[in-house]
Amino acid sequence: MGRILASLLAAAAMAAVPAMAQQPPLRIGVPLPLTGALAGGGNQILWGIQYAAGEANDAGGLLGRKIELVVEDTKGEPNTSATVAAKLATQDKVDAFVGGFGSTSDYALLNALQRFEPIFMHAGSSSVRLEEGFGKHDWYYHIYIWDYHRQKAAVTFFKSIPGAKTLAIAYEDKLYGTDGSKFTQQYAKEAGLEVVMNEPYRAGTPDFAPILNRVKGLDPDILFIIGYSGDNIQIARQADQLGIKPKLLVTQGAGEKRSDFGPAGDNVVVIDLWSAKQTTPGLADWVKKAEAKRGGEVVSSAVQGYVAMRTLIDAAKAAGTWDRGKILAGLASMTFDTPYGKVAYTASEMGGKHQLITDKSMIAVQYKPDGGQEVVWPADKAAGKITYPAR
Amino acid sequence: MSGLRIEGCTVAFGGLRAIDNVTLAIPEGTITALIGPNGSGKSTFVNMVSGQIPPAAGRILLGGGAITGLRPDRIVHRGLARTYQVPKVPKELTIEEVISVPLRYARSDRPLPPGVRSAADLARYCGLRPAGGTRCGQLSVSDLRRLEIARALACRPDVLLLDESMAGLSLEDTEQVIALVREIHAAGVTVLVIEHVMRIIATLCRHAIVLNQGRLLAEGEPQRVLTDPDVREAYLGKGFTL
Amino acid sequence: MNAAGMNILVLRLGFYVAVAAPFVAVALAEHAFLVQVAIGIAVSAILALAWDILSRTGQVSLGHAAFFGMGGYGSALLTPVLGPVLGWIAGLLLCGAVAVLLGAVTLRLRRLYFTIATLSFSLSIQVFILVTPDLTGGSTGIMPPVLAGGSPPHQLLFITGCLVAAAAVSDVFLGSRFRPAFFMIRNNPHLAAASGVPVTRLKILAFAVSGMVAGLAGACYAGLYGYVIPDDVFTTNWNVLPLAVTILGGMDTTLGPVVGAVALRLLEEVARHFVGGVGYQVVYGAVIILFIVGMPAGLVGFARGLLRRRKATERPDGAKARLAS
Amino acid sequence: MTTAAVLQAVILSLTVAALYAAVAAGLTLTVGVTRIINFAHGEFVMLGAFLTYGLHTRWGVSPWLGMAASGVALGLLSALVYRLFLARVLKQDEHNQLLATLGLSILLLNIAVILWSPDPRVMQAPALLPPLRLGPVTVPGNNVAVALVGLLLFLAMLWIKNHTRYGTQMRFASDDPELALHAGINVDRVFELSFVIGGAAAGVSGGLVALVLYVQPSVGVDLVIRAFAIIALGGLGNIPGALMGAAILALVEGLVSTFVPQGGSWGFGVAFLLLLLVLIVRPSGLFGKQVQA
Amino acid sequence: MNRFQATVERAGYGALTVIPHLAFEVSGGELLVLLGPNGAGKTTALRALAGTADTGRRALRLDGQDLSALSTWQLAHAGLAYVPDGARCFATVTVEENLRGAFEALRPRAARAERQRLLDGVYELFPVLKQRGSQLAGSMSGGQRQMLAIARALMIEPKVLMLDEPSAGLAPKLVEELFEALGRIKASAGCAIVMAEQNFAAAMGIADTCLVLDEGHVALSGPVAAVRHDERLRVAYLGL
């Protein structure tokens, strides 16, 4: 039975090919850091974009045309990004851009693209300098949150925990962590949380004992880590091994998986844009399919890429033809059904005109001792209650 | 002005005294030979005088002024130049370029040898053919020796130390270098020749200094020094007579 | 000036025109992609020239990112205070001053120790930026004034001018005043000192000039896109790049670093085009290894060797000279 | 700060020192004999980490065994690398050697990215040893294992160099290569051997990285730079010196990070500033033979 | 036994030919001394034989076996020990390790007793080395290092021992001791010895045959007794 179905599907796909072949493919430029320090996130986003494009192509293409991704490595480096931007815009003459990750390289990328005014679906990067620089353009759509959204959400979540009054922050000492720490402190102050520690660490350091040692003495209600996935895992693991368990360890999702943490992850909370476990209608089906395709867990950053591509596809479908003006109008006005739920591009605080995910979409996931995970905040997306204190 | 004077100088490597309390004088306007068996401290002596290894004790006077402890390039400026026995010159440079270095950097008001104006002239003066931009990597050992002499002359020295400039050269080459040294001397340069080949010393020098085990063993006319029993013993071993 | 000097001057100017011409052509054609590639090449070439000037005195640095970054940060931070011209000059002087200091304290270091010391310097100076947010913007970076109003072709023209300037500086140090003395210092410092060369002073001079030229490259780079974080300029990439560019192009020449920068970037773009994805970096690494084994003297050295060999077969006396060596 | 806090910081830093030392162990032997700074050593460590991780995750092979297997595998890879191209590069200038190993490093790192993606992953292995209680401080079991294996690696390098006939030949070959030839030693083979042993040690230390750190293609980059600092601090080729160097580096980084405000950022830079200062005062490292001026 | 025949053609450095042609033969229990002032080409001749001169062709036969194609390190395995000039030994290694390592390099699997026998032999010859066994070779005096250099060569039980200026830089008393030891080696070890030497008297005392080099050419050769009083020796040597 299954085999018959498969061959039918294959035949359908074959039939679809000539239809698509009649028209030139839609070329989508995908500039992402695939090598270098940002390669981890870049490759996750790429998968999401590829998955969305694949979905559309399997279903007969977009507007009867096959979607062709022109993937270029920016290395997360400004000059390479600008070069890639120029190549995609002038050589490949792509119809739209989906991608971008890494704040300064994306700044250079957008800087170089400005005069072409392409449709740009920005999947990564949260530096407000990008919002200030390019958010005002009507061709610029930003999916991922801006720094302040994430930190505002984090603080709102902290406030929701009964009894949590003191906060210790450890952040990686480069752009991401430093900006994150700055905004967190600001919002924490407004919310009346006491910040008892605010310490940087070097990304990739093998040793977090110094920070954990300080935490041990301070015994804060929350230890909040703003850093990359490897360091998040390493801190949780070292805290577990050294027996320095804070009342609650909170990290910001950076692409890590529950399974990476092992038992050290028990009761760790991850603030993220998205979780496969959030109670969004229809999500379970999507996750099942995506995970089958991925051959493993689908992480939040992959969804960024997926949604960036998907909203473009939906807007183009609604427009019915590949018309820049119509598509941009659709993007600005439509509500999209995404793994995040029903969302729309709206204006954001520091000048951005089209922002998809804000602090309101964000969630907190708690890793359960049984190896699973559960959304614990906000209440409308939560499947369970937070375990606090965690020790 | 009184040539080169060494007063009570000592150079030690670890426990070994390569130069051991040596006092001697090289009078102005002479060609003096410095001889001694292998390991007697001749090369250390040259390195000491030229400032490469400053003495642990003692004084070195050049033309009446102390040069002890000065940097090697300063000593060159004061008017003392030396050659190296096995010169390691940059093989990518041409003969002219090598000679041009001291011409430019060794500040001296002494004149160059008569008729010499440029690096190329100086090369020819020392028996080299600088034409065609020959690189040092292509030179034979005898030409490298001449180049060393030319380079040292380009420092426009008052006192020139020649460290085994003739060792390993053919008879003909040796004769030419001897003639060159004579010419340099005639132009008013005080020369100290470190040499093994006694025949050369006997024909070239009026004065010889013998080092052995880092100490001054004998001093005087070459003929007399070479027949000195102590010198013979140092060279040939005990109880041996020729 | 005599006739020979005149000839040399004309030759040099011709050389600079030849170097600048392709860059200018790309800028005038306003080919967006090639303009960006050319900008990247020119910046690499300037940095590589800086590295080569220092290496001519035998000092193999693995820390030029420090000067690259300082040039970028210095010019960016000083321009608002002093204006563009003075700001850049002051930024470069800062690089020179720091280079003099580093040169002075690393004089005694030999070979690998020197290399590791320069690497250490670049790693600690990066941290200096991170921990002085009030002075330098810290890890959140700076927004330097953009060069040439942000027009890439104009930026390219300006950077080409800087490249010609760097090439001219490199040529000064390949001229009769410095080249023989530098090579002598590298090959045999004792011989140099015995020729009256102030070895210490020249080594530090080379360091200062090298630091300033590297700073120039950094200033150009920082002025391109308007936003720079320490990670963009103070990273190992900029420590390694000048070494790779210069060795592949050919050391001890002005042409070598320029050729090397072109070759390396083209290699990368070609590999990117044909291999794509992540695999092109593998090709890139493999080609570097093959180059080192096959052309240890770099492209320019290899070409010279070919020319010389041909000359030698044409002239019997030349052949003899080779045989003798 | 209390004595207990200082003690805790010191002890924990020393366990980190053991990891650094393990990574530096092979490098210091290779550098001591061949004078080649092998940038790809970091990638050898990374490959060892992936191998240990893969063996454990896929087939449940004990990390102890995984480490040993990594050692053997990386030793073989080193032999291949040496014969294919390093032997030729040895005869070239030092900057060419630097670039050659850098090229190898780029190559291996990106092959790993292709094979395994750039994501970090963690080996979920039960602690190899029980935790060690030292007064108020508890050292996690895996850190004890790292300290133990790290120390063993060092002792092994020291033993190989000082108490085996190959070690004697290595010392002969690095002391005076020409005289070593006259003594009947195949110097080229000895260089290869030292490179292979260095590679094997890198493989084993990669297993340790998998044990206490995450496994990622870029994991070797920072580690190898620290390893350079360590061997320079101790004096190139001086094995006990490198052990001291590792301790000093880890202690400076650890103590600055623990007790100086914002120290997490300072630590790394201060450690390298210290190295620079040490080299200025002692141009051949703390324990290296000082060269004649 | 241990009949060693050697020929060197056009040996030198770079473009310079130091030794145009040189041939000699020497048998076990015999000592051949290459005499001549510095620069005469003694060192070059020996280096060419050992395979470490820049240029030159060599032909070596030991008991009829052709060793010409062997590389430097293989020569040692064939029984040719070479002691270069300058009392070179492995300076950063202890005296005993210098000796032990030299033995093990050639006979890695030999019994410990065998090594001990040889060690005892060289210690008997140079008792000072036994006292200094655990000292770093580089920290010893020139004379002691020279003894060590020779002892190191003896540890391979050479069939042919080539020495380059063993007396250079040594005090007369030490030279006397050293040569006395060489005499004993010659008598007891049964190896053929080729020695370049500047020190006449001492060398003549133990040498059997003698070859006088003057600027690369053989000025004089023959049994010591015959050469000893030859006027040409004086010319070659002192130029007088």
Side-chain angles (χ1 to χ4, degrees):
Chain A
M1 181 67 200
R3 195 176 289 171
I4 296 168
L5 197 70
S7 48
L8 274 176
L9 277 173
M14 293 279 276
V17 168
M20 284 198 282
Q22 285 163 7
Q23 292 206 46
L26 271 171
R27 292 158 76 84
I28 306 294
V30 183
L32 279 170
L34 304 176
T35 58
L38 299 174
N43 282 283
Q44 291 285 4
I45 293 173
L46 175 61
W47 183 83
I49 294 171
Q50 286 170 333
Y51 182 58
E55 259 184 359
N57 282 341
D58 290 348
L62 175 58
L63 306 172
R65 293 163 73 181
K66 191 178 181 321
I67 298 174
E68 185 188 313
L69 300 179
V70 188
V71 180
E72 290 290 350
D73 179 18
T74 65
K75 299 200 283 180
E77 194 263 329
N79 177 251
T80 313
S81 294
T83 309
V84 160
K87 174 182 176 283
L88 291 172
T90 62
Q91 311 284 110
D92 301 314
K93 299 201 178 6
V94 296
D95 297 292
F97 285 81
V98 181
F101 180 49
S103 290
T104 55
S105 59
D106 283 354
Y107 200 93
L109 184 84
L110 288 161
N111 205 21
L113 282 179
Q114 245 179 129
R115 64 190 179 100
F116 302 106
E117 305 199 330
I119 300 174
F120 196 99
M121 311 299 296
H122 201 173
S125 298
S126 60
S127 169
V128 287
R129 285 174 183 80
L130 287 162
E131 184 180 11
E132 287 162 355
F134 306 100
K136 57 181 182 290
H137 297 303
D138 59 358
W139 48 267
Y140 178 77
Y141 283 77
H142 189 245
I143 287 81
Y144 193 46
I145 35 93
W146 298 117
D147 280 329
Y148 54 87
H149 289 134
R150 188 170 40 204
Q151 305 330 125
K152 197 190 266 178
V155 172
T156 316
F157 163 64
F158 298 154
K159 281 297 284 180
S160 78
I161 302 169
K165 292 197 172 52
T166 57
L167 175 67
I169 304 168
Y171 61 96
E172 68 94 24
D173 63 0
K174 292 178 186 161
L175 181 63
Y176 168 62
T178 308
D179 265 350
S181 138
K182 206 169 69 193
F183 283 113
T184 308
Q185 278 180 288
Q186 186 193 318
Y187 291 124
K189 207 170 162 190
E190 288 168 17
L193 278 171
E194 189 194 350
V195 177
V196 292
M197 184 191 95
N198 183 43
E199 280 294 322
Y201 63 82
R202 189 182 150 78
T205 185
D207 182 24
F208 289 95
I211 279 184
L212 293 167
N213 259 335
R214 287 185 198 222
V215 170
K216 192 184 180 189
L218 297 164
D219 196 27
D221 297 332
I222 295 162
L223 171 60
F224 184 38
I225 315 289
I226 309 170
Y228 297 111
S229 53
D231 296 332
N232 292 345
I233 298 167
Q234 185 69 0
I235 289 175
R237 208 150 65 121
Q238 255 188 325
D240 184 51
Q241 288 174 338
L242 292 171
I244 306 176
K245 274 272 192 186
K247 283 182 199 150
L248 192 68
L249 180 65
V250 181
T251 70
Q252 292 196 145
E256 62 269 43
K257 307 183 197 83
R258 169 66 181 105
S259 53
D260 291 335
F261 283 84
D266 295 357
N267 294 326
V268 167
V269 171
V270 182
I271 296 180
D272 215 331
L273 273 72
W274 179 84
S275 162
K277 290 275 159 44
Q278 69 189 46
T279 57
T280 300
L283 183 64
D285 272 356
W286 184 87
V287 169
K288 213 168 140 192
K289 265 193 258 169
E291 284 188 343
K293 180 86 178 173
R294 183 85 171 115
E297 212 171 306
V298 172
V299 298
S300 174
S301 38
V303 176
Q304 277 163 236
Y306 176 80
V307 171
M309 187 74 216
R310 187 61 201 269
T311 50
L312 177 65
I313 291 171
D314 287 354
K317 270 186 188 155
T321 162
W322 192 265
D323 178 288
R324 185 175 177 278
K326 276 190 189 162
I327 292 171
L328 287 176
L331 279 170
S333 59
M334 285 167 66
T335 297
F336 299 92
D337 192 4
T338 69
Y340 297 120
K342 294 209 187 310
V343 284
Y345 288 97
T346 55
S348 52
E349 287 162 42
M350 314 230 345
K353 277 164 89 176
H354 311 293
Q355 172 63 32
L356 193 68
I357 306 299
T358 64
D359 52 302
K360 302 206 176 49
S361 314
M362 294 192 74
I363 53 155
V365 176
Q366 190 164 40
Y367 291 163
K368 292 296 168 189
D370 63 3
Q373 48 190 310
E374 205 168 63
V375 178
V376 293
W377 177 87
D380 58 328
K381 288 177 185 158
K385 273 189 84 72
I386 188 168
T387 308
Y388 180 87
R391 55 171 189 227
Chain B
M1 294 288 275
S2 56
L4 185 68
R5 271 194 67 79
I6 315 295
E7 294 180 353
C9 284
T10 296
V11 173
F13 301 117
L16 179 79
R17 292 185 155 210
I19 296 289
D20 191 357
N21 193 16
V22 167
T23 298
L24 55 85
I26 289 142
E28 191 186 354
T30 59
I31 302 181
T32 303
L34 178 65
I35 58 177
N38 266 357
S40 59
K42 300 185 299 293
S43 289
T44 310
F45 179 85
V46 178
N47 288 341
M48 176 185 81
V49 172
S50 62
Q52 198 171 317
I53 307 169
R59 284 208 309 165
I60 305 168
L61 300 164
L62 177 65
I67 56 168
T68 331
L70 288 185
R71 283 202 326 251
D73 53 309
R74 295 268 166 211
I75 291 177
V76 171
H77 296 171
R78 291 289 190 88
L80 184 135
R82 64 164 295 182
T83 64
Y84 280 88
Q85 195 180 336
V86 191
K88 193 177 149 228
V89 289
K91 56 182 187 304
E92 58 268 59
L93 291 182
T94 64
I95 292 173
E96 276 180 87
E97 281 175 322
V98 169
I99 300 172
S100 75
V101 171
L103 278 183
R104 192 180 287 273
Y105 287 95
R107 273 175 246 123
S108 167
D109 42 17
R110 279 187 50 88
L112 285 165
V116 171
R117 287 228 170 74
S118 64
D121 290 346
L122 200 49
R124 277 187 287 271
Y125 181 82
C126 295
L128 292 162
R129 278 159 302 159
T134 312
R135 280 164 206 279
C136 296
Q138 302 172 334
L139 291 181
S140 68
V141 170
S142 75
D143 281 349
L144 279 176
R145 291 259 160 78
R146 287 177 215 270
L147 177 61
E148 258 304 273
I149 297 173
R151 187 196 56 75
L153 275 184
C155 297
R156 285 168 283 201
D158 287 316
V159 177
L160 177 63
L161 309 186
L162 296 174
D163 193 356
E164 300 200 22
S165 293
M166 285 156 267
L169 296 192
S170 72
L171 209 60
E172 194 192 338
D173 281 333
T174 307
E175 291 303 328
Q176 287 171 357
V177 174
I178 288 176
L180 175 62
V181 174
R182 286 215 170 99
E183 204 172 330
I184 292 166
H185 174 244
V189 179
T190 306
V191 183
L192 179 69
V193 195
I194 291 96
E195 208 38 82
H196 272 290
V197 185
M198 303 299 174
R199 180 169 23 88
I200 295 170
I201 290 159
T203 54
L204 192 59
C205 310
R206 285 285 140 74
H207 189 75
I209 297 162
V210 188
L211 280 183
N212 191 33
Q213 302 280 313
R215 291 196 205 98
L216 187 64
L217 185 66
E219 196 176 357
E221 263 182 56
Q223 298 291 347
R224 226 193 47 231
V225 165
L226 289 175
T227 50
D228 182 300
D230 287 344
V231 174
R232 292 224 146 175
E233 189 185 318
Y235 259 86
L236 308 171
K238 199 172 180 180
F240 191 84
T241 48
L242 271 173
Chain C
M1 189 181 290
N2 58 24
M6 206 56 206
N7 272 340
I8 289 172
L9 191 73
V10 169
L11 262 173
R12 280 233 186 121
L13 289 177
F15 172 70
Y16 298 144
V17 169
V19 165
F23 290 94
V24 173
V26 167
L28 294 182
E30 299 208 15
H31 188 292
F33 168 60
L34 286 182
V35 165
Q36 292 297 344
V37 171
I39 286 174
I41 288 174
V43 169
S44 310
I46 298 172
L47 183 61
L49 281 167
W51 185 88
D52 191 50
I53 290 171
L54 185 63
S55 83
R56 291 172 203 160
T57 57
Q59 306 182 88
V60 178
S61 159
L62 207 52
H64 262 49
F67 301 107
F68 185 78
M70 268 193 290
Y73 264 76
S75 63
L77 294 172
L78 291 169
T79 295
V81 186
L82 300 172
V85 178
L86 277 181
W88 272 50
I89 291 174
L92 300 194
L93 286 178
L94 174 80
C95 289
V98 175
V100 165
L101 274 178
L102 185 64
V105 297
T106 54
L107 269 176
R108 288 163 70 210
L109 298 182
R110 313 237 312 222
R111 302 165 61 90
L112 290 179
Y113 287 103
F114 176 87
T115 304
I116 292 178
T118 53
L119 179 66
S120 301
F121 175 70
S122 79
L123 293 173
S124 33
I125 198 125
Q126 178 180 1
V127 173
F128 174 78
I129 303 283
L130 294 190
V131 297
T132 53
D134 299 331
L135 193 66
T136 60
S139 45
T140 53
I142 46 170
M143 308 206 69
V146 180
L147 278 176
S151 152
H154 290 147
Q155 289 179 334
L156 176 57
L157 286 178
F158 177 79
I159 295 176
T160 303
C162 293
L163 173 61
V164 170
V169 171
S170 162
D171 276 340
V172 167
F173 287 91
L174 285 175
S176 60
R177 183 175 182 84
F178 292 108
R179 190 182 108 105
F182 274 18
F183 285 5
M184 217 183 243
I185 289 172
R186 170 168 75 188
N187 189 268
N188 188 345
H190 290 309
L191 190 69
S195 305
V197 175
V199 175
T200 304
R201 219 184 310 155
L202 285 198
K203 276 172 99 168
I204 292 179
L205 175 70
F207 225 128
V209 171
S210 176
M212 285 165 70
V213 174
L216 179 67
C220 289
Y221 189 76
L224 286 174
Y225 310 112
Y227 182 25
V228 173
I229 55 172
D231 258 16
D232 291 332
V233 287
F234 286 102
T235 45
T236 314
N237 176 41
W238 299 110
N239 281 334
V240 171
L241 188 87
L243 180 97
V245 163
T246 312
I247 293 174
L248 293 189
M251 293 175 66
D252 305 332
T253 56
T254 297
L255 189 59
V258 179
V259 168
V262 173
L264 209 63
R265 186 62 185 257
L266 287 187
L267 166 67
E268 195 179 332
E269 295 299 333
V270 167
R272 189 204 284 280
H273 183 76
F274 286 105
V275 184
V278 177
Y280 78 96
Q281 289 277 13
V282 173
V283 175
Y284 183 75
V287 172
I288 287 181
I289 293 173
L290 291 178
F291 256 94
I292 288 283
V293 173
M295 278 187 214
L299 286 165
V300 170
F302 183 74
R304 276 191 182 167
L306 280 184
L307 277 178
R308 214 174 286 160
R309 214 166 303 157
R310 184 185 291 173
K311 257 191 208 159
T313 46
E314 281 163 10
R315 280 205 333 240
D317 59 318
K320 213 170 105 200
R322 267 188 55 80
L323 205 73
S325 71
Chain D
M1 70 191 85
T2 61
T3 326
V6 176
L7 193 68
Q8 168 137 14
V10 167
I11 291 175
L12 291 176
S13 296
L14 286 179
T15 66
V16 175
L19 181 68
Y20 292 172
V23 173
L27 197 62
T28 181
L29 183 84
T30 313
V31 169
V33 178
T34 62
R35 300 280 140 186
I36 275 203
I37 278 220
N38 179 18
F39 263 95
H41 190 81
E43 276 59 47
F44 287 5
V45 172
M46 176 270 292
L47 290 175
F50 265 101
L51 199 61
T52 309
Y53 167 85
L55 286 174
H56 178 75
T57 312
R58 192 156 299 179
W59 291 298
V61 177
S62 152
W64 289 121
L65 222 64
M67 266 178 234
S70 303
V72 172
L74 269 295
L76 291 174
L77 180 69
S78 301
L80 194 70
V81 164
Y82 187 90
R83 293 204 179 173
L84 279 185
F85 92 109
L86 215 58
R88 288 169 225 214
V89 177
L90 259 174
K91 292 169 190 87
Q92 299 182 12
D93 286 338
E94 66 199 283
H95 27 76
N96 281 30
Q97 296 173 358
L98 273 180
L99 184 60
T101 63
L102 274 167
L104 183 63
S105 156
I106 295 174
L107 182 71
L108 294 177
L109 193 145
N110 287 290
I111 288 177
V113 168
I114 291 174
L115 290 180
W116 303 304
S117 92
D119 294 334
R121 61 206 74 199
V122 172
M123 185 167 75
Q124 301 293 350
L128 291 182
L129 293 172
L132 184 68
R133 272 173 234 294
L134 294 167
V137 191
T138 304
V139 184
N142 276 344
N143 290 61
V144 178
V146 168
L148 212 66
V149 176
L151 212 61
L152 275 176
L153 265 185
F154 252 87
L155 290 178
M157 295 301 130
L158 212 55
W159 178 76
I160 288 171
K161 203 169 172 193
N162 288 339
H163 298 283
T164 67
R165 58 190 151 89
Y166 295 118
T168 312
Q169 295 186 6
M170 282 174 205
R171 284 182 293 154
F172 282 13
S174 73
D175 186 311
D176 186 338
E178 192 190 306
L179 189 62
L181 285 176
H182 291 310
I185 292 167
N186 185 348
V187 172
D188 188 54
R189 182 60 49 83
V190 168
F191 278 8
E192 179 181 352
L193 189 68
S194 81
F195 193 71
V196 168
I197 293 173
V204 175
S205 65
L208 298 179
V209 167
L211 210 54
V212 291
L213 206 62
Y214 41 84
V215 181
Q216 192 176 19
S218 61
V219 77
V221 178
D222 250 23
L223 285 173
V224 82
I225 286 180
R226 283 194 173 92
F228 290 154
I230 285 166
I231 60 173
L233 207 53
L236 294 181
N238 183 328
I239 295 178
L243 196 58
M244 292 298 291
I248 292 170
L249 195 81
L251 276 176
V252 169
E253 242 188 291
L255 294 181
V256 169
S257 301
T258 310
F259 297 112
V260 178
Q262 308 286 299
S265 274
W266 284 102
F268 185 77
V270 168
F272 278 90
L273 200 62
L274 180 86
L275 170 61
L276 188 59
L277 292 178
V278 165
L279 289 182
I280 290 166
V281 179
R282 289 185 63 89
S284 301
L286 282 176
F287 311 101
K289 282 177 289 292
Q290 301 302 311
V291 286
Q292 284 265 310
Chain E
M1 270 304 279
N2 294 348
R3 190 179 154 78
F4 180 56
Q5 296 158 294
T7 315
V8 174
E9 301 275 355
R10 296 173 61 90
Y13 303 93
L16 183 75
T17 298
V18 179
I19 306 277
H21 173 84
L22 177 70
F24 60 81
E25 71 176 73
V26 56
S27 296
E30 267 179 22
L31 192 151
L32 174 125
V33 64
L34 283 172
L35 284 172
N38 245 52
K42 306 185 296 290
T43 298
T44 309
L46 291 188
R47 286 177 67 89
L49 287 176
T52 49
D54 275 10
T55 57
R57 261 209 314 269
R58 59 178 182 178
L60 307 173
R61 292 186 87 79
L62 181 57
D63 287 338
Q65 194 190 351
D66 189 3
L67 308 182
S68 312
L70 297 189
S71 63
T72 303
W73 68 272
Q74 287 168 325
L75 281 181
H77 290 254
L80 231 81
Y82 174 61
V83 181
D85 58 340
R88 262 158 85 178
C89 37
F90 301 107
T92 58
V93 173
T94 68
V95 170
E96 204 195 310
E97 283 167 327
N98 261 281
L99 298 173
R100 231 176 39 206
F103 176 82
E104 284 169 354
L106 262 70
R107 297 164 67 183
R109 270 168 267 285
R112 188 169 284 228
E114 181 66 1
R115 191 179 77 199
Q116 197 55 45
R117 180 179 65 81
L118 285 168
L119 262 181
D120 290 343
V122 299
Y123 282 157
E124 197 194 323
L125 207 54
F126 303 112
V128 67
L129 295 183
K130 187 166 190 180
Q131 295 161 24
R132 308 263 167 162
S134 57
Q135 192 176 334
L136 287 188
S139 68
M140 295 198 303
S141 75
Q144 290 163 345
R145 273 186 287 134
Q146 187 63 61
M147 289 176 193
L148 176 59
I150 295 171
R152 187 185 54 67
L154 291 178
M155 286 303 286
I156 74 170
E157 289 193 290
K159 293 175 176 151
V160 181
L161 177 61
M162 299 199 289
L163 304 156
D164 193 0
E165 295 222 29
S167 74
L170 302 190
K173 178 140 176 12
L174 276 173
V175 176
E176 226 172 281
E177 275 178 44
L178 193 70
F179 278 37
E180 195 246 339
L182 281 177
R184 278 195 282 157
I185 293 165
K186 184 179 76 144
S188 65
C191 67
I193 303 180
V194 182
M195 176 170 82
E197 190 45 75
Q198 185 182 314
N199 189 326
F200 254 26
M204 289 291 185
I206 54 166
D208 302 294
T209 41
C210 158
L211 227 151
V212 181
L213 282 178
D214 185 10
E215 296 183 351
H217 299 271
V218 179
L220 194 60
S221 68
V224 167
V227 171
R228 198 176 173 108
H229 300 290
D230 198 303
E231 188 59 21
R232 283 172 293 176
L233 181 59
R234 199 177 153 94
V235 174
Y237 232 72
L238 294 177
L240 298 169

